[in-house]
Amino acid sequence: ASRGMMMEQDAKAFEEKRDAYDEMREKIRSRASTLDMNKSVATQEAIKAATQRAAAGEAAETPTVDLSKFSSGLGEDPEDELTDEQMKEIDKVGQMSIPDQVVEEFKNTRFPSPDATLKQAILMLVIFIVTAGVILNVDTFLRFQYTDWGFIPKSGEVLDYSDLALPEGFTDQMTDIDLAGMEDL
């Protein structure tokens, strides 16, 4: 129901501004005619031909788009520049002081409702729990797999190093206390 009301409001707003839109269209058409810009049948035909060539897998033999009109004089006409009044009309907020701009932005800001915030928090919690569960289960699986393969020792497993032979001269720099501590191991 609210969407239908929004569409009706949009339609009503459009109807209220119809004269302004028609005036803008007329200005655009007159500007286009002064720049010698017309609806081009050739462009439509070129698009159809390019589409047919593309479907057939052929390459264009020559470039079909003339971009020369775009590069010449584009943006150089002083008439294209906006006057201060036009800028004020287009960007009313940009012409305000910084504090007024901040106030205007906050007026137009829609903050989330407590309901939406709660839903977002619950969604984040569910994602966290699922992610943590996946990570912990993969870690447990890999730990058991690696211990089964013998890559890492099992928990509580004591390795026997009694048959380990130290290199010659390993104990030369040790004191008697150090040597006594090695015998305990």
Side-chain angles (χ1 to χ4, degrees):
S2 66
R3 184 172 182 172
M5 288 178 30
M6 291 285 288
M7 291 177 68
E8 289 176 18
Q9 289 173 351
D10 290 344
K12 188 183 240 185
F14 176 77
E15 286 301 323
E16 290 172 358
K17 296 181 181 180
R18 180 181 282 279
D19 293 336
Y21 293 148
D22 290 340
E23 184 180 325
M24 281 191 277
R25 283 189 195 104
E26 189 54 42
K27 284 182 182 178
I28 291 169
R29 285 187 185 110
S30 67
R31 178 80 173 144
S33 66
T34 59
L35 293 174
D36 195 27
M37 299 171 86
N38 302 327
K39 268 191 174 178
S40 174
V41 176
T43 302
Q44 293 174 353
E45 291 172 359
I47 291 171
K48 287 179 185 174
T51 304
Q52 290 171 350
R53 280 194 307 272
E58 300 173 9
E61 59 276 351
T62 59
T64 56
V65 179
D66 180 19
L67 299 177
S68 63
K69 289 187 179 183
F70 288 104
S71 63
S72 64
L74 188 63
E76 296 172 6
D77 189 359
E79 195 174 303
D80 290 340
E81 296 296 320
L82 294 174
T83 64
D84 288 337
E85 292 112 25
Q86 289 172 327
M87 287 176 62
K88 286 178 185 175
E89 184 179 329
I90 291 170
D91 186 17
K92 294 175 182 150
V93 175
Q95 304 300 319
M96 297 178 178
S97 67
I98 299 292
D100 291 338
Q101 287 182 19
V102 170
V103 168
E104 188 66 26
E105 287 299 321
F106 273 111
K107 282 183 191 175
N108 295 324
T109 302
R110 195 181 106 230
F111 292 99
S113 67
D115 183 44
T117 305
L118 182 64
K119 287 179 183 176
Q120 189 74 23
I122 290 171
L123 178 65
M124 288 173 41
L125 183 64
V126 167
I127 290 171
F128 172 76
I129 290 171
V130 168
T131 304
V134 168
I135 290 172
L136 292 174
N137 285 327
V138 167
D139 178 60
T140 302
F141 169 76
L142 289 176
R143 187 175 337 117
F144 287 126
Q145 191 63 44
Y146 286 162
T147 55
D148 288 346
W149 288 341
F151 289 153
I152 56 176
K154 292 185 172 148
S155 178
E157 184 177 27
V158 178
L159 299 177
D160 182 21
Y161 294 111
S162 62
D163 61 339
L164 181 65
L166 297 173
E168 191 166 319
F170 184 80
T171 58
D172 289 349
Q173 300 294 324
M174 294 183 150
T175 63
D176 291 336
I177 297 170
D178 295 332
L179 290 171
M182 279 186 59
E183 291 173 5
D184 293 338
L185 297 176

